[in-house]
């Protein structure tokens, strides 16, 4: 069992998942090529980078690092910059014709920013407990029965969110929180929906999207449904997750194992 | 239509197709009387964003169909309102290209391409909101701080002048305003520790006529509202187009937030003229009066919203010259625009940063304790999106963000020229790491009920009370257009273009355009047919009634 603890202040951990520049388009990286950034960069640089990010980048990229459409910086790899040097150059020069401006950061500041960018996804790993990936895979399909609702790489039901790339799009702390307290961690867009049609038919499902006039969901029969709200007699989105806390069936070590397995899911092999 | 309008329309109809008439100052003054054209950013100097065209009505609006689409060659936000002059549309394609189109068919006459310097560093998006015109000259304010005059027929530049230095964080994102023989612009950059100003340039030559500093310098009245050197980096930008009252000969401009945005401890005092409206002499730039909405603002409540000017009978046979203002701070204000006197103010969204306004309109501030949520949040109860006023209904319409809050965390920050100077951060009000939806959205709505919702709100300026409101699931960044036929045109972030009844808010038409609507709808007429144009995503859509 490995326990990551850091000296990162609590308020800074809130930034875990911040993104950096509109211009840095995250790409899916083969697992073999992915780097484990934890430990590669100095903690002091990372913390310095967080402060710089908060002051200079947060306004556009947001707390979760995904507020620029089409850009999610948490993956640590970027379409326009492969090496750290290229990333520094990009931050300095900005991207012409986009909202990404040039910046006058010093070398030390650029080191801090890049250190943070490269570790954003792992940044809030304070107090996250990891275990054994292989054991976690077994628990996912066995004792934990996670695969009774979740789908991975084309296998399993679609009732709950597909986890094929969950390790690439969610932070370790997010995932641990989801395992321990699914309701508190449930994304609003994933809320369970109960719709009563005009003829009294009841439709249950998981919300996929919603706007003022319509709602989109995946129903219990795994069909994509789009409903016009004006046609519904009732519509309610529950705030309690259908998923039980992992600790209902798994012990602490087993939760750590499952978490480690989930973090390994970064898309197709 | 009035008789004057009809005559104006007939005169324009006599012009040969495609000919460009001189847009004189007289025509700008009387823009209301030629509703087939859209001659200024807000449609007229009084900024009602209201059209007298009444061909499209509540009875036939269902027959509205797409006439043409202009697809921009840029993925930046499309926030510009086009101008239409005698059948020709002038539009800024994000960021700073200018296109002249056949307003009936969408065919392009010419395109002026301008790439802003890579030194540009806009805080909040590489955007442009449109053009101004005088005679046959168009005026473009660029992201990298230049003002360019273009020949409206040839599409070629006539002169170019530098307004501001982009390396210090200055930018120009607004549509200029022409008054008499001058073209006026204000600077953006309130997040970079600039010192804001509004400039007027000779429309013929581009020479600077006057500059009004939005932060008074040493020895000037108002300077005492700053301590030490805070005035030098105090922000107070002016990034939206002003209005003009020709009778009073005053032009009104909204002023942005003080800097650093979120740390008022670094700039004690009221910080004039940040978060104020200023009334200026358009010939000299001299300040006639000001009214400050949010003194010593800790929340980034820019007061750059469009000043809406209305004349109201006071019941004693006189006319009140009023200014209506739906402010980012969540209050709706009515001011006397002759004197700047505060007349009334009412919150139109949930507000807890102030318990109310005193007799002089000054907010009774109620700062929330650390960790608590302030309403409205940093984006405000409304923002830059144009409101509308309808003389027919007597109502003021505003796009609002309801129940939207932020937790403010001020921090000491040293100013470095060209660097963002926020002095803190707006924290997520719903807890760290709780997967709270982001502010911006793509096709999937991750906003939903966790962080408030949007609404179109109709306010009776006589009472300050809401006449009706139409809530939306997501917040909205769309401007509003009303018509003489009691229609209200607007959009939302969800990509819906919707038409409502201006008296009741009843939804009359909805069309899905598939991209966020973030400009102000406008209307015009060519060859006897009324059109409505609005941008969604990266394209502009133009609608008219089915033949």
């Amino acid at each position: 069992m490995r326990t990551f603890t850091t000296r990162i202040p609590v308020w800074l951990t809130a930034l875990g998942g911040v993104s950096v520049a509109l211009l840095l388009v995250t790409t899916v990286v083969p697992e073999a090529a992915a780097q484990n950034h934890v430990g590669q960069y100095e903690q002091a640089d990372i913390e310095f980078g967080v402060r710089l990010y908060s002051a200079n980048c947060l306004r556009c990229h947001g707390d979760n690092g995904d507020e620029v459409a089409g850009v999610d910086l948490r993956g640590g790899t970027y379409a326009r910059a492969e090496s750290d040097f290229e990333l520094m150059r990009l931050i300095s020069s900005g991207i012409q014709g986009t909202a990404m401006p040039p910046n006058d950061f010093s070398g030390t500041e650029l080191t801090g920013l890049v250190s943070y960018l490269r570790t954003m996804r792992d940044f809030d790993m304070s107090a996250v407990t990891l275990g054994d990936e292989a054991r976690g895979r077994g628990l996912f399909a066995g004792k934990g029965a996670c695969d009774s609702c979740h789908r991975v790489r084309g296998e399993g039901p679609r009732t709950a969110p597909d986890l094929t790339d969950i390790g690439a799009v969610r932070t370790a702390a997010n995932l641990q929180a989801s395992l321990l307290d699914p309701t508190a961690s449930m994304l609003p867009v994933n809320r369970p929906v109960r719709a009563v049609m005009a003829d009294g038919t009841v439709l249950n499902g998981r919300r996929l999207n919603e706007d003022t006039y319509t709602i989109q969901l995946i129903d219990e029969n795994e069909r994509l449904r789009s409903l016009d709200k004006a046609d519904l007699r009732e519509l309610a989105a529950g705030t309690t997750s259908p998923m039980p806390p992992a600790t209902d069936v798994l012990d602490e070590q087993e939760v750590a194992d499952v978490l480690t397995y989930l973090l390994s899911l970064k898309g197709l092999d | 239509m009035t008789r004057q309008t009809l005559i104006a329309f007939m005169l324009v109809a006599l012009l040969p197709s495609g000919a460009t008439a001189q847009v004189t100052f007289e025509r700008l003054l009387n823009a209301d009387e030629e509703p087939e054209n859209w001659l200024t950013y807000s449609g007229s100097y009084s900024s009602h964003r209201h059209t007298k065209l009444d061909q499209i009505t509540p009875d036939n609006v269902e027959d509205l169909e797409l006439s043409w689409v202009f697809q921009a060659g840029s993925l930046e936000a499309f926030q510009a309102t086009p101008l239409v002059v005698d059948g020709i549309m002038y539009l800024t394609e994000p960021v700073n290209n200018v296109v002249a189109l056949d307003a009936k068919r969408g065919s392009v006459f010419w395109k002026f391409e301008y790439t802003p310097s890579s030194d540009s560093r806009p805080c909040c998006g590489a955007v442009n909101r449109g053009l101004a015109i005088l005679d046959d000259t168009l005026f473009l304010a660029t992201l990298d701080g230049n003002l360019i005059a273009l020949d409206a027929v040839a599409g070629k530049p006539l002169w170019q002048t530098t307004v501001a230095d982009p390396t210090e964080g200055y930018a120009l994102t607004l549509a200029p305003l022409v008054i008499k023989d001058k073209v006026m612009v204000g600077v953006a950059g309130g997040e970079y520790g600039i010192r804001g100003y509004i400039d007027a340039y000779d429309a013929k030559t581009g020479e600077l006529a006057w500059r009004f500093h939005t932060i008074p310098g040493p020895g000037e009245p108002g300077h005492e509202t700053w301590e030490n050197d805070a005035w030098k980096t105090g922000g107070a930008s002016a990034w939206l187009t002003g209005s003009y009252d020709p009778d009073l000969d005053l032009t009104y401009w909204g002023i942005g937030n003080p800097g650093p945005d979120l740390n008022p401890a670094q700039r004690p005092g009221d910080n004039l003229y940040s978060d104020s409206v200023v009334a200026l002499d358009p010939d000299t730039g001299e300040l006639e009066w000001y009214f400050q909405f949010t003194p010593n603002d800790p929340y980034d409540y820019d007061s750059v919203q469009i000043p809406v000017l209305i004349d109201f009978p006071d019941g004693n046979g006189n006319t009140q010259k009023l200014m209506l203002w739906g402010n980012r701070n969540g209050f709706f204000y009515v001011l006397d625009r002759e004197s700047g006197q505060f007349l009334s103010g009412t919150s139109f969204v949930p507000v807890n940063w102030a318990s109310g306004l005193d007799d002089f309109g000054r907010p009774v501030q109620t700062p929330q304790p650390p960790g608590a949520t302030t309403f409205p949040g940093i984006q405000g109860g409304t923002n830059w999106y144009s409101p509308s006023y309808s003389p027919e209904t007597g109502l003021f319409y505003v796009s609002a963000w309801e129940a939207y809050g932020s937790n403010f965390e001020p921090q000491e920050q040293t100013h470095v020229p060209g660097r963002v100077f926020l002095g803190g951060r707006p924290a997520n009000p719903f807890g760290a790491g709780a997967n709270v939806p982001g502010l911006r959205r793509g096709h999937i709505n991750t906003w939903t009920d966790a962080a408030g919702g949007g609404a179109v709100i109709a306010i009776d300026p006589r009472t300050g009370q809401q006449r009706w409101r139409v809530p939306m699931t997501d917040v909205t960044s769309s401007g509003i257009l009303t018509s003489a036929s009691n229609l209200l045109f607007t959009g939302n972030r969800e990509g819906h273009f919707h038409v409502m009844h201006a008296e009741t808010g009843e939804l009359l038409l909805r069309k899905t355009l598939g991209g966020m609507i973030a400009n102000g709808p406008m209307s015009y007429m060519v060859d006897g047919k009324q059109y409505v144009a609005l941008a969604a995503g990266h394209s502009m859509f133009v609608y008219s009634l089915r033949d």
Side-chain angles (χ1 to χ4, degrees):
Chain A
M1 184 185 298
R2 293 171 289 157
T3 300
F4 290 81
T5 54
T6 72
R7 293 173 284 108
I8 300 166
V10 171
W11 73 267
L12 288 178
T13 65
L15 290 172
V18 185
S19 51
V20 172
L22 338 158
L23 341 157
L24 315 175
V25 178
T26 305
T27 54
V28 175
V29 182
E31 196 168 15
Q35 301 176 67
N36 177 6
H37 294 295
V38 176
Q40 182 175 332
Y41 299 93
E42 295 294 332
Q43 187 62 35
D45 287 335
I46 296 171
E47 293 183 23
F48 184 43
V50 172
R51 295 176 192 279
L52 289 167
Y53 182 87
S54 179
N56 295 279
C57 317
L58 179 77
R59 190 176 177 90
C60 290
H61 290 283
D63 267 349
N64 295 324
D66 57 354
E67 291 203 1
V68 174
V71 178
D72 183 351
L73 303 174
R74 288 170 294 184
T77 58
Y78 313 104
R80 293 175 188 259
E82 189 170 336
S83 67
D84 286 0
F85 175 75
E86 289 169 334
L87 190 53
M88 291 180 188
R89 191 168 58 186
L90 186 151
I91 294 169
S92 298
S93 64
I95 298 180
Q96 197 158 5
T98 76
M100 177 70 178
N103 293 281
D104 301 325
F105 293 113
S106 67
T108 304
E109 290 170 326
L110 287 169
T111 298
L113 274 171
V114 168
S115 299
Y116 176 56
L117 289 177
R118 294 294 196 191
T119 57
M120 281 175 74
R121 189 169 55 81
D122 309 308
F123 187 71
D124 58 357
M125 291 184 77
S126 54
V128 166
T129 304
L130 297 182
D132 183 85
E133 177 185 327
R135 276 204 310 269
R137 187 192 305 267
L139 290 163
F140 185 89
K143 183 179 177 184
C146 312
D147 66 346
S148 62
C149 294
H150 287 286
R151 188 175 179 88
V152 175
R153 292 169 185 152
E155 298 291 329
R158 301 179 176 91
T159 313
D162 190 310
L163 302 178
T164 298
D165 61 353
I166 198 69
V169 300
R170 298 283 290 275
T171 66
N174 280 161
L175 285 173
Q176 180 173 265
S178 294
L179 287 166
L180 299 177
D181 190 351
T183 291
S185 304
M186 181 171 58
L187 287 169
V189 73
N190 288 334
R191 285 178 183 164
V193 169
R194 179 179 185 273
V196 182
M197 317 292 276
D199 64 1
T201 306
V202 176
L203 195 62
N204 290 303
R206 173 168 55 88
R207 182 162 66 176
L208 298 176
N209 200 5
E210 183 175 354
D211 62 31
T212 300
Y213 304 106
T214 68
I215 184 166
Q216 290 70 44
L217 51 91
I218 181 168
D219 71 14
E220 293 169 309
N221 297 317
E222 299 191 0
R223 287 186 304 170
L224 297 177
R225 306 290 295 261
S226 184
L227 309 175
D228 194 326
K229 291 180 181 177
D231 294 339
L232 301 179
R233 189 187 297 173
E234 290 177 31
L235 176 64
T239 54
T240 301
S241 172
M243 174 174 151
T247 47
D248 283 4
V249 291
L250 302 176
D251 63 26
E252 186 180 350
Q253 175 63 61
E254 290 168 333
V255 171
D257 294 339
V258 171
L259 172 61
T260 307
Y261 168 61
L262 294 177
L263 286 170
S264 76
L265 299 176
K266 295 186 171 69
L268 298 178
D269 287 326
Chain B
M1 286 189 193
T2 64
R3 185 164 178 273
Q4 276 181 307
T5 307
L6 187 61
I7 291 171
F9 175 75
M10 290 172 66
L11 285 173
V12 170
L14 291 174
L15 290 167
S17 177
T20 305
Q22 294 276 313
V23 181
T24 62
F25 176 56
E26 285 298 310
R27 285 184 70 183
L28 295 176
L29 282 174
N30 299 301
D32 272 350
E33 301 305 324
E34 46 177 301
E36 68 281 3
N37 293 319
W38 192 272
L39 300 180
T40 68
Y41 176 69
S42 295
S44 70
Y45 279 139
S46 51
S47 301
H48 290 181
R49 197 166 284 262
H50 176 82
T51 178
K52 287 185 177 177
L53 297 175
D54 56 6
Q55 189 177 82
I56 304 168
T57 70
D59 290 334
N60 65 19
V61 69
E62 283 193 353
D63 293 332
L64 217 53
E65 68 176 13
L66 189 62
S67 292
W68 54 270
V69 177
F70 174 77
Q71 296 194 26
S74 162
L75 296 182
E76 294 299 321
F78 203 142
Q79 298 187 348
T81 296
L83 301 179
V84 170
V85 183
D86 307 330
I88 298 175
M89 174 179 287
Y90 300 101
L91 176 68
T92 51
E93 176 191 48
V95 177
N96 285 145
N97 295 336
V98 180
V99 188
L101 308 112
D102 174 348
K104 184 176 176 180
R105 302 175 183 86
S107 308
V108 175
F109 290 110
W110 55 254
K111 183 172 182 177
F112 169 75
E113 297 192 351
Y114 182 88
T115 303
S117 160
S118 59
D119 287 332
S120 307
R121 52 196 73 189
C123 72
C124 317
V127 299
N128 178 277
R129 300 195 173 86
L131 303 158
I133 190 167
L134 179 67
D135 298 327
D136 55 4
T137 303
L138 295 164
F139 302 96
L140 166 71
T142 70
L143 196 68
D144 55 355
N146 291 312
L147 179 62
I148 301 175
L150 290 174
D151 184 319
V153 179
K156 299 298 181 185
L158 298 170
W159 53 256
Q160 175 173 329
T161 191
T162 300
V163 175
D165 181 357
T167 65
E168 294 184 6
Y170 288 92
L172 299 178
T173 56
L174 79 178
L177 178 68
V178 165
I179 299 177
K180 302 177 189 176
D181 59 352
K182 296 181 179 62
V183 53
M184 300 173 63
V185 292
V187 296
E191 277 62 54
Y192 286 87
I194 63 160
R195 181 189 177 202
Y197 49 85
I198 298 167
D199 280 357
Y201 294 87
D202 184 299
K204 290 290 185 192
T205 66
E207 287 184 32
L208 180 66
W210 53 256
R211 170 165 294 179
F212 172 76
H213 281 287
T214 55
I215 299 177
E220 295 178 316
H223 185 71
E224 70 283 358
T225 64
W226 299 84
E227 287 188 11
N228 304 318
D229 286 338
W231 63 280
K232 293 179 178 175
T233 55
S237 53
W239 50 274
L240 273 189
T241 312
S243 302
Y244 176 56
D245 182 331
D247 294 330
L248 298 174
D249 199 22
L250 290 175
T251 182
Y252 306 98
W253 288 71
I255 309 300
N257 61 279
D261 300 35
L262 309 180
N263 190 12
Q266 281 184 248
R267 43 176 172 77
D270 280 358
N271 305 147
L272 291 174
Y273 299 102
S274 69
D275 289 352
S276 302
V277 51
V278 295
L280 305 177
D281 181 327
D283 297 323
T284 64
E286 289 181 16
L287 178 69
E288 184 71 20
W289 59 256
Y290 73 92
F291 174 82
Q292 188 175 39
F293 301 96
T294 312
N296 194 235
D297 172 15
Y299 313 115
D300 194 10
Y301 288 158
D302 286 88
S303 294
V304 296
Q305 294 75 40
I306 302 294
V308 175
L309 316 183
I310 70 167
D311 293 337
F312 226 64
D314 66 358
N316 298 318
N318 299 315
T319 298
Q320 284 183 297
K321 296 176 82 65
L322 305 179
M323 176 185 294
L324 311 182
W325 200 294
N327 197 281
R328 183 165 167 171
N329 70 12
F331 286 93
F332 167 75
Y333 295 80
V334 182
L335 306 179
D336 179 331
R337 72 172 183 272
E338 196 163 359
S339 64
Q341 183 186 355
F342 168 78
L343 299 177
S344 67
T346 317
S347 61
F348 61 92
V349 293
V351 163
N352 70 355
W353 69 274
S355 59
L357 306 176
D358 70 15
D359 291 344
F360 301 97
R362 189 180 179 89
V364 182
Q365 297 212 29
T366 50
Q368 300 303 299
T373 302
T374 298
F375 294 92
I378 191 167
Q379 295 294 323
T382 187
N383 203 302
W384 66 272
Y385 359 102
S386 291
S388 179
Y389 173 77
S390 168
E392 281 76 24
T393 63
L395 299 176
F396 176 85
Y397 304 91
V398 63
S399 292
W401 290 25
E402 299 183 315
Y404 156 70
S406 298
N407 290 8
F408 292 94
E409 295 180 355
Q411 293 167 358
E412 187 80 12
Q413 185 177 356
T414 301
H415 177 253
V416 177
R419 290 268 192 95
V420 172
F421 189 48
L422 291 182
R425 60 188 295 268
N428 196 321
F430 301 101
N435 304 319
V436 173
L439 191 66
R440 295 175 175 83
R441 86 189 296 267
H443 288 108
I444 302 297
N445 182 9
T446 56
W447 180 272
T448 63
D449 53 1
V456 176
I457 297 176
I459 299 174
D460 186 338
R462 290 165 295 194
T463 63
Q465 300 303 307
Q466 294 187 15
R467 181 70 65 85
W468 56 258
R469 62 181 281 277
V470 174
M472 303 175 194
T473 298
D474 204 342
V475 294
T476 172
S477 300
S478 172
I480 296 173
L481 168 75
T482 55
S483 77
S485 52
N486 280 334
L487 291 177
L488 183 151
F489 302 87
T490 190
N492 65 13
R493 289 190 172 208
E494 300 161 355
H496 295 301
F497 163 41
H498 31 217
V499 187
M500 302 169 189
H501 199 295
E503 286 183 335
T504 63
E506 177 192 358
L507 181 68
L508 302 173
L509 181 74
R510 165 168 63 95
K511 291 184 180 294
T512 302
L513 303 185
M516 186 170 88
I517 295 164
N519 81 334
M522 53 80 74
S523 187
Y524 61 93
M525 178 174 275
V526 183
D527 291 343
K529 176 176 275 196
Q530 182 183 358
Y531 297 85
V532 174
L534 79 166
H538 312 296
S539 299
M540 193 183 67
F541 297 81
V542 179
Y543 284 89
S544 63
L545 292 176
R546 187 177 301 122
D547 288 327

